[in-house]
Amino acid sequence: MFAQAGRHGTAPPSAVRLLGIDPGLRHTGWGVIDVVGNRLTHVADGAVHSDANCTLAERLVQLHDALSAVLERYAPDEAAVEETFVNANAASTLKLGQARAVALLVPALAGLAVAEYANNMVKKAVVGQGRADKAQVQAMIRLLLPGCAITTADAADALAVAICHAHHRSSWTMWRRGGGVFPVKRSLSPERAEARVLETLSPRGEGWVRGTRRGSSRVRPAPPPHPNPLPGGERG
């Protein structure tokens, strides 16, 4: 998972540490850089993977746990995620969107501000034109991040996302301060969480009665009428 171990821990006092994420269900790339003014420094990069033999839910948990470990190890200040590229295969696009949701959720749960960038915007920020191929992107990453040994295409794409955010974070921060996004919501207290759940319950329809067995307050539906009632209220 930690393909380029690099340095870890918190960023230097004068630096802002950025995490770039290139989401994918099979392989999710990540890259961490430090930014001091216009200077970019490579910290680490790698890719997390999910087991194709597991269920979709289990694979999403694997991505969640692995990305959480990356955040805990490198303690970034901000995160950026590449937007979903829609292709002709609807099923693949849907799975990519689910993996991308995890990539957005993990840093947001950690309290980080999360930016999103389109693929062509990332390429333009790194190479100078939005239709650059992967070889051009990786060549520019090596120039912008001296000493960076790119090991996987997913990690390279994630570093490109981080570089893109480094170039655009000033305007992005101003947009956020102008009310462009909602603040990150922290975890609810147990009492507030219970109240929130009660607010979402569907209203009980007619014919519902409260259970009385063992003093239970659970709600259960009234029994349906017998299809063939007998005279005198008896049932067959």
Side-chain angles (χ1 to χ4, degrees):
M1 180 174 66
F2 301 107
Q4 293 291 321
R7 293 161 291 172
H8 59 277
T10 58
S14 59
V16 176
R17 179 159 291 183
L18 307 180
L19 169 66
I21 302 177
D22 176 46
L25 183 59
R26 293 182 61 188
H27 313 291
T28 290
W30 60 270
V32 181
I33 64 174
D34 284 343
V35 182
V36 180
N38 294 326
R39 181 181 178 184
L40 308 180
T41 304
H42 173 260
V43 177
D45 65 81
V48 300
H49 315 282
S50 67
D51 187 349
N53 295 320
C54 295
T55 65
L56 176 60
E58 292 170 336
R59 297 178 72 179
L60 294 177
V61 170
Q62 292 168 2
L63 295 179
H64 173 279
D65 292 346
L67 286 175
S68 297
V70 172
L71 263 74
E72 183 176 356
R73 177 166 182 167
Y74 294 103
D77 299 302
E78 298 173 6
V81 180
E82 187 172 275
E83 293 182 352
T84 301
F85 178 78
V86 179
N87 56 38
N89 190 324
S92 297
T93 301
L94 179 60
K95 291 179 180 179
L96 175 59
Q98 292 165 329
R100 184 173 177 273
V102 174
L104 291 167
L105 176 66
V106 170
L109 285 176
L112 273 63
V114 185
E116 302 174 63
Y117 298 101
N119 178 265
N120 60 349
M121 188 174 185
V122 172
K123 291 180 178 180
K124 188 171 183 179
V126 176
V127 179
Q129 58 107 353
R131 295 188 177 182
D133 58 30
K134 288 186 177 294
Q136 291 175 307
V137 172
Q138 293 182 16
M140 284 302 301
I141 290 175
R142 292 188 178 94
L143 288 176
L144 295 171
L145 302 175
C148 173
I150 299 174
T151 56
T152 67
D154 300 296
D157 291 343
L159 286 171
V161 175
I163 294 171
C164 177
H165 185 51
H167 290 172
H168 292 281
R169 63 181 302 270
S170 295
S171 57
W172 176 78
T173 301
M174 292 179 62
W175 174 73
R176 290 186 72 249
R177 290 176 178 173
V181 296
F182 294 102
V184 176
K185 294 184 178 179
R186 309 306 301 165
S187 299
L188 299 175
S189 65
E191 295 77 12
R192 182 55 185 154
E194 182 178 3
R196 182 69 60 83
V197 170
L198 292 177
E199 292 172 359
T200 66
L201 290 177
S202 300
R204 296 193 299 273
E206 296 182 0
W208 287 74
V209 295
R210 287 193 175 275
T212 57
R213 184 168 61 88
R214 295 184 181 179
S216 172
S217 61
R218 292 181 298 175
V219 177
R220 67 172 185 268
H226 195 277
N228 298 307
L230 298 177
E234 299 179 358
R235 294 188 176 184

